Amino acid sequence: MEETLLVVNCGSSSLKLALFDGQQRKLASALAERLNQSDAFARIEGDKQAIHLGPDASHERALEVLVAALRERNLMASDPTAIGHRVVHGGETFREAALIDDDVLSAIDECAGLAPLHNPVNLAGIRATLEQFPGVPQAAVFDTAFHQTLPEHAYLYAVPGKWYREWGVRRYGFHGTSHSFMATEAARILDRPPEQTSIISAHLGNGCSITAIRDGCSVDTSMGLTPLEGLAMGTRSGDVDPGLFDFLRSKGIEAEEVHRSLNQQSGLLGLSEKTNDMRTLCESADQGHAPSRTAIEVFCFRLARYVGAMMASLDRLDALVFTGGIGENSARVRERTIAHLQLLGFHLDANRNDSHGKSSSGHIESANSRFPVLVIPTNEELVIAREASRLASARNKT
Ligand code: ADP
């Protein structure tokens, strides 16, 4: 039977599907948005018409409708041979992807305390898919797993030890599928064995994180217990002084509201008071909107500081890599970031930087740069499909 791989990514109000063939070429993708709201809809990529799902449509209903639509269009002639699910938090239980069984389901449920907004909805997607495709091997691929190689000095916070021992308060890191893809793609481009390649990977999308990867393993990363720590992001603040909570309480703002503001009203949106979208921000900075320019400057400066911080975990650097919607597309962000890193020996070639990204990988450093700088388009869905295929064929061999 021809191999087909289905990738399922459930967000709090969205469901994304991607279908790959055995050569890991994408055959189709589909999306449902605004789930559990009054105007939920779904769409197969390439279709002009959206499918209205009716009020309060659940993830289960969206999956049913999208699978039926893929079948109707002959995009999914038979059941997939394996299914991969994105799961946000694997805690310390999962160091790699896992084939789903009852024990794995309970362990994901146990990790839900660490990611209450994400793991329950990931589980809902897995349960709906198990029902829809009984007997098809399914794999859980964790955002945190790649970072389980972090050494103790990088994952421990300097807080009372009991918090870690009793409640698991430590740095976990996220975006692991994207960072691990950068490790293998950078090694391929540099023509080095992945296990002998050391890079700094900057994933800059709506969420942003940076990871030091030494000889193929994650050794430091900017996100922590939750995906709020680290870089400035679209709507998330990244690092702030924890004393802010107490200070704002004295102004009558309770912890819950501070938490909401730091997650949803900060970052590029908070600074510009205009948008969380980097492309729009660059346009409005060009039109003279000073807060937009400031937001871009803060974003790039904080990113540059973290590049410096990541160097402390490496004994060699084979490349600094930019990825994610901003990292792949914004020559301006790359230029402003590298401008802060001259002392460390990073230099860009302006022409290469301007012409790169836009779905192609390549070098953007100048001849006098001490380190290569790469732009590599990320492909988290492909990593999940590969993991599902690997685990399913390992199971078939036993
Ligand atoms: P997500 O984390 O939701 O997957 P993406 O990786 O798609 O997000 O990144 C979205 C970000 O990429 C947005 O801020 C968007 O403005 C930015 N982006 C996309 N294209 C460009 C561009 N040409 N120039 C600047 N920013 C861009």
Side-chain angles (χ1 to χ4, degrees):
M1 188 174 58
E2 184 73 15
E3 186 181 32
T4 50
L5 305 161
L6 178 67
V7 174
V8 181
N9 181 352
C10 274
S12 53
S13 62
S14 68
L15 174 92
K16 291 182 194 154
L17 299 181
L19 198 64
F20 290 84
D21 69 10
Q23 283 72 51
Q24 295 165 2
R25 287 177 302 222
K26 200 190 243 186
L27 301 172
S29 57
L31 163 80
E33 279 184 327
R34 308 187 71 78
L35 297 174
N36 304 307
Q37 296 171 40
S38 56
D39 49 354
F41 70 92
R43 191 193 299 274
I44 306 287
E45 192 183 301
D47 277 10
K48 283 207 182 80
Q49 283 285 332
I51 307 164
H52 292 282
L53 293 172
D56 301 323
S58 61
H59 288 82
E60 288 82 347
R61 165 133 176 86
L63 181 75
E64 217 172 275
V65 169
L66 285 174
V67 168
L70 287 169
R71 289 204 157 123
E72 227 169 71
R73 288 160 182 74
N74 266 336
L75 293 167
M76 185 157 59
S78 54
D79 281 0
T81 37
I83 300 172
H85 294 268
R86 175 182 178 217
V87 179
V88 168
H89 220 305
E92 289 186 330
T93 313
F94 295 102
R95 300 183 71 83
E96 56 180 1
L99 214 48
I100 291 169
D101 59 18
D102 287 346
D103 289 345
V104 168
L105 286 176
S106 325
I108 295 173
D109 198 25
E110 275 163 29
C111 296
L114 292 164
L117 297 179
H118 296 104
N119 276 29
V121 83
N122 298 154
L123 268 179
I126 294 174
R127 293 217 162 92
T129 317
L130 285 170
E131 211 158 284
Q132 182 97 28
F133 300 106
V136 176
Q138 307 206 18
V141 182
F142 301 90
D143 280 15
T144 50
F146 182 61
H147 301 298
Q148 278 296 299
T149 49
L150 249 54
E152 192 180 52
H153 64 252
Y155 73 67
L156 283 182
Y157 289 111
V159 296
K162 178 182 159 187
W163 294 3
Y164 170 58
R165 287 194 307 277
E166 295 196 5
W167 303 316
V169 172
R170 53 159 282 180
R171 315 184 61 258
Y172 290 95
F174 298 86
H175 290 143
T177 45
S178 180
H179 291 302
S180 72
F181 187 64
M182 290 309 117
T184 43
E185 280 300 287
R188 191 181 59 74
I189 292 169
L190 298 167
D191 201 16
R192 299 179 61 91
E195 64 285 358
Q196 287 170 31
T197 305
S198 292
I199 64 165
I200 295 175
S201 160
H203 176 104
L204 312 173
N206 277 310
C208 301
S209 70
I210 185 165
T211 295
I213 300 170
R214 187 164 70 205
D215 297 331
C217 296
S218 172
V219 285
D220 192 12
T221 192
S222 58
M223 283 178 167
L225 175 70
T226 75
L228 183 56
E229 190 180 339
L231 303 173
M233 314 183 205
T235 63
R236 282 174 252 168
S237 61
D239 298 337
V240 291
D241 182 342
L244 182 68
F245 277 78
D246 207 38
F247 175 77
L248 288 175
R249 195 157 50 95
S250 75
K251 303 284 174 201
I253 305 175
E254 291 307 323
E256 205 175 309
E257 195 182 333
V258 180
H259 176 78
R260 195 170 40 249
S261 296
L262 293 179
N263 274 286
Q264 294 167 14
Q265 286 146 16
S266 298
L268 297 174
L269 174 64
L271 283 162
S272 68
E273 298 186 303
K274 197 174 175 110
T275 177
N276 63 330
D277 186 286
M278 184 57 88
R279 194 171 2 192
T280 315
L281 213 52
C282 289
E283 284 161 11
S284 86
D286 286 342
Q287 286 156 13
H289 186 247
S292 296
R293 201 173 310 136
T294 307
I296 298 168
E297 287 306 310
V298 172
F299 182 91
C300 296
F301 174 65
R302 294 176 60 129
L303 174 58
R305 281 178 76 200
Y306 259 102
V307 172
M310 290 294 136
M311 304 274 278
S313 291
L314 300 176
D315 50 11
R316 188 187 71 248
L317 181 66
D318 297 314
L320 167 64
V321 181
F322 286 93
T323 192
I326 298 173
E328 291 162 32
N329 295 298
S330 180
R332 179 186 200 141
V333 165
R334 298 190 299 247
E335 187 272 315
R336 295 306 307 140
T337 305
I338 296 297
H340 292 292
L341 294 168
Q342 312 257 329
L343 185 60
L344 289 177
F346 290 93
H347 298 282
L348 289 191
D349 178 296
N351 286 333
R352 277 169 142 187
N353 186 38
D354 283 344
S355 63
H356 248 298
K358 300 174 193 73
S359 319
S360 68
S361 300
H363 286 263
I364 57 168
E365 77 280 6
S366 61
N368 66 337
S369 184
R370 194 171 156 213
F371 305 105
V373 182
L374 302 175
V375 177
I376 302 179
T378 194
N379 198 338
E380 290 160 287
E381 287 168 342
L382 181 63
V383 176
I384 297 173
R386 282 179 182 163
E387 288 290 82
S389 168
R390 182 180 65 81
L391 288 169
S393 48
R395 184 188 81 158
N396 292 340
K397 281 188 195 125
T398 55

